[in-house]
Amino acid sequence: MLEQYAQYSEVEPILADYSGLQRALEKLNDYQSALIVLYYDDRKHIDDIAMIYDVSSSKIKVDLYRTRQQLKDIMMGYENE
């Protein structure tokens, strides 16, 4: 999953083992983690994820965007350490 997320992410993990990305993913709440897994690992379509959570596709898009931004911010913090 980490390699697939990194492929679509604007953040390039510095370490080949993706440890920074793994640590960042662990900081997400359960819902955010599930969104990332469903979208990137299970390759579910936005509409399918929306059906799972019984919410609109727009909400899933916004939540995925915010989750990616949060991951980006966390990853940028690791780069500055």
Side-chain angles (χ1 to χ4, degrees):
M1 178 182 85
L2 296 175
E3 290 176 8
Q4 290 174 354
Y5 177 76
Q7 176 182 353
Y8 298 105
S9 174
E10 295 175 10
V11 177
E12 290 293 326
I14 295 172
L15 303 174
D17 65 359
Y18 302 107
S19 63
L21 181 57
Q22 179 63 44
R23 289 186 303 173
L25 287 169
E26 290 171 357
K27 291 186 179 251
L28 299 177
N29 65 38
D30 291 340
Y31 171 69
Q32 292 171 317
S33 297
L35 284 180
I36 295 295
V37 168
L38 288 169
Y39 190 72
Y40 291 104
D41 198 30
D42 295 346
R43 297 182 183 255
K44 296 277 187 199
H45 190 271
I46 296 288
D47 294 332
D48 296 333
I49 300 171
M51 227 185 324
I52 291 170
Y53 285 102
D54 194 29
V55 296
S56 70
S57 296
S58 297
K59 176 170 176 38
I60 297 298
K61 288 178 187 177
V62 168
D63 290 348
L64 270 170
Y65 173 80
R66 290 178 179 164
T67 299
R68 285 190 295 261
Q69 288 302 110
Q70 185 176 348
L71 280 172
K72 179 180 175 182
D73 292 344
I74 293 168
M75 294 293 297
M76 296 301 269
Y78 291 149
E79 282 184 12
N80 295 330
E81 288 182 350

